[in-house]
Amino acid sequence: MNFMPSRRTAALILTGVLALSGCSTDDPPPMHPAPGAIGGGDPYYPDDGNGGYDALDYQVGVGYDPASGHLDGDTTVTAKATQDLSRFDFDLRGLDVASVEVDGKPAKFSREKEHELVVTPAEPVRSGSAFRTRVRYSGDPEKTAHSGGSENGWSRSADGGAYQVGEPHSASFWYPVNETPRDKATFTVTAHVPAAWTVVSNGRQQGSTTKDGKTTTTWQESDPVASYLTMIAIGKFTVQRATLPDGTPVVSAYAPGAEAHEATGDRLPEILSFLESKFGPYPQSAAGGVYLDEDIHFSLETQTRPTYAKWAEMPTLVHENAHQWFGDSVSLDSWSDICLNECFASYAQWLWSEREGHDLDEQYRTAVEITKASTDFWGRKLVGMGVGHEFEAVYDKGILAVHALRRELGEAAFSKLLHEWTTEHRHGNANWADFEKLVSQVAGRDLSGFLTDWFHGTKLPADADLYPGSLRP
């Protein structure tokens, strides 16, 4: 049916249309800007990281002069606002900031506490919008104080170069960052150094050119990475290149004095193939390693390319590459859940030992017998251990706990657990509660008692939990 409206009706319709055109439904809602939180929410390190935004990508540019130790930085962080922001923070330690821009406009900035770079943009940033922050900075990063232990700070290497590797604080020693594992992002570094030097970092090399006595090299990690797993090494390396069977590039760099590790490094494809059989397909964009001639007391699972101390041997390679699944691809949500990284990377060393013919059940019983009377050994928690105690039990008691879990579940269910965990949370974050839930799902029964006894407990587990399955003496 159709009809011709009267003149009065037409006038009323026209008036309504004109009225509606004056109040578009596309007008954005009013903003309520507020500062982003100065911490990322980790209960053990409440000042680490920041709130109010989600980092999406880091484009890190650095120029470094090994002779003077001077670094010039020019980093752009792309992020998405999770609230209306009047200001926001990055973590940056020691270095002097020359200027900050947000979406191309100069922004005000200040330094607070020991590592907060506070940025106030010219205009508030709307929640849900992507924004880019460019920070220019410089200084001698080696002079920045660090806490020691696994927080190494920016360090000079024996050949006169430098390297940056550490945990839990690492990235903030050389670029502005949201330094919490909860906020993973893609990462690219373009480094300018004198022509005699080589730069190695995460991911795949995108190019290297030399001009006017300077070499410029770009490395790109296209998968999201937790900031403490980013790295840079500047040295007079011997670089070996290969590919995995699926075409994944393998780049390993050996510092002067570390060439003896080449025979071990050449076995990396064999190691990764073995770990794939246990954990599922290799989850990273590249592989390899940086072999330093440095007597630091730790090696670290820097993503795609672990960094090794001079003492590293085959078990260390197995451990750090197991982290490419446990810790790098599947990253912890809070540092209290570090067992999700270290307990399983440490148990990978036992799996490798089993491959070589060792009886793991016998190793387990011997270890239990030796430690049975030690309240110090069994009194250390594997989950929720308390700040400062994260790395005390995960390398020894953690191995026993995972082996007991394997025997409690049986081979098929244990294999399913490892594969489902690394698949379900690939390139994401997870917590211990997520893991416990999956354990019971895979087992088909409630294993909360067993898990509490082993991972939350502070004494020798009950006999039934201590000797499940074939572990019974």
Side-chain angles (χ1 to χ4, degrees):
M1 182 182 295
N2 197 5
F3 68 95
M4 180 69 69
S6 68
R7 291 181 180 178
R8 178 176 174 78
T9 301
L12 290 172
I13 293 174
L14 180 60
T15 300
V17 169
L18 291 173
L20 287 172
S21 68
C23 56
S24 170
T25 58
D26 293 334
D27 288 346
M31 293 178 65
H32 303 283
I38 62 171
D42 190 299
Y44 285 11
Y45 299 94
D47 290 337
D48 285 4
N50 305 280
Y53 64 91
D54 173 22
L56 304 176
D57 178 70
Y58 293 95
Q59 297 287 325
V60 179
V62 292
Y64 184 71
D65 177 37
S68 65
H70 184 81
L71 180 144
D72 290 305
D74 186 346
T75 291
T76 296
V77 184
T78 300
K80 181 179 180 180
T82 57
Q83 65 174 73
D84 293 337
L85 284 169
S86 60
R87 66 174 227 185
F88 55 91
D89 294 12
F90 292 125
D91 301 305
L92 182 66
R93 299 173 187 271
L95 298 166
D96 298 319
V97 176
S99 65
V100 178
E101 296 175 2
V102 178
D103 289 334
K105 298 179 180 180
K108 295 179 181 179
F109 63 92
S110 62
R111 308 298 289 272
E112 295 182 5
K113 298 186 176 181
E114 65 176 355
H115 66 271
E116 297 288 345
L117 171 59
V118 182
V119 178
T120 304
E123 301 172 355
V125 179
R126 183 175 293 278
S127 179
S129 65
F131 63 101
R132 290 175 174 81
T133 306
R134 183 180 184 182
V135 183
R136 294 181 180 92
Y137 53 99
S138 64
D140 185 342
E142 187 185 10
K143 294 180 179 178
T144 302
H146 60 87
S147 64
S150 297
E151 182 181 298
N152 214 47
W154 183 278
S155 301
R156 290 294 192 104
S157 51
D159 64 356
Y163 61 96
Q164 172 59 63
V165 62
E167 183 181 26
H169 305 128
S170 176
S172 58
F173 286 97
W174 63 293
Y175 66 91
V177 61
N178 194 24
E179 195 162 44
T180 169
R182 297 181 178 191
D183 194 4
K184 300 169 71 169
T186 54
F187 172 81
T188 300
V189 59
T190 298
H192 314 277
V193 295
W197 299 89
T198 298
V199 176
V200 182
S201 188
N202 308 83
R204 300 189 178 198
Q205 186 173 339
Q206 300 300 304
S208 183
T209 60
T210 300
K211 183 179 180 181
D212 299 330
K214 294 282 187 180
T215 296
T216 298
T217 306
T218 297
W219 293 88
Q220 182 179 65
E221 172 55 312
S222 56
D223 293 325
V225 54
S227 60
Y228 80 95
L229 299 171
T230 64
M231 57 79 65
I232 189 170
I234 302 158
K236 297 182 178 180
F237 296 113
T238 298
V239 179
Q240 304 285 0
R241 300 177 188 272
T243 57
L244 299 179
D246 65 357
T248 299
V250 180
V251 179
S252 293
Y254 300 87
E259 296 90 350
H261 288 294
E262 289 185 33
T264 305
D266 287 346
R267 296 185 66 184
L268 180 59
E270 176 189 355
I271 293 170
L272 293 178
S273 177
F274 171 74
L275 294 174
E276 283 188 313
S277 72
K278 301 299 181 182
F279 306 147
Y282 182 63
Q284 304 297 350
S285 66
V290 176
Y291 297 81
L292 301 173
D293 188 36
E294 307 298 326
D295 197 21
I296 52 178
H297 74 276
F298 66 95
S299 296
L300 190 67
E301 62 272 19
T302 42
Q303 189 158 310
T304 71
R305 195 155 291 114
T307 305
Y308 299 104
K310 65 187 301 180
W311 47 261
E313 296 179 342
M314 181 63 73
T316 307
L317 266 70
V318 172
H319 180 107
E320 304 305 343
N321 282 285
H323 274 306
Q324 302 306 310
W325 286 263
F326 290 89
D328 290 21
S329 176
V330 184
S331 299
L332 51 75
D333 188 62
S334 297
W335 287 102
S336 61
D337 295 333
I338 191 66
C339 186
L340 292 171
N341 297 12
E342 300 298 346
C343 292
F344 291 90
S346 298
Y347 190 66
Q349 297 174 233
W350 268 36
L351 292 173
W352 184 264
S353 173
E354 184 178 45
R355 174 184 183 269
E356 297 182 334
H358 294 274
D359 184 337
L360 296 191
D361 284 358
E362 188 58 34
Q363 286 184 201
Y364 174 94
R365 293 188 201 99
T366 299
V368 168
E369 196 59 35
I370 291 172
T371 61
K372 218 169 194 178
S374 173
T375 55
D376 290 339
F377 183 91
W378 297 102
R380 302 167 303 161
K381 298 173 71 173
L382 290 169
V383 177
M385 63 289 289
V387 65
H389 301 285
E390 298 93 325
F391 299 99
E392 292 178 358
V394 289
Y395 301 108
D396 44 28
K397 182 182 175 183
I399 295 177
L400 301 183
V402 175
H403 191 63
L405 176 61
R406 178 183 176 185
R407 293 301 183 235
E408 176 70 27
L409 289 172
E411 283 301 298
F414 183 71
S415 178
K416 182 179 180 182
L417 171 69
L418 299 183
H419 282 75
E420 288 198 7
W421 179 254
T422 56
T423 298
E424 181 179 343
H425 300 288
R426 181 182 171 99
H427 296 314
N429 293 79
N431 58 44
W432 187 257
D434 296 325
F435 183 75
E436 289 200 355
K437 181 179 179 181
L438 183 60
V439 169
S440 292
Q441 286 177 353
V442 169
R445 63 188 190 280
D446 182 8
L447 285 185
S448 58
F450 175 93
L451 295 167
T452 297
D453 213 4
W454 265 105
F455 293 93
H456 300 272
T458 56
K459 59 183 180 180
L460 188 72
D463 190 72
D465 295 335
L466 190 62
Y467 296 112
S470 61
L471 291 175
R472 178 65 54 191

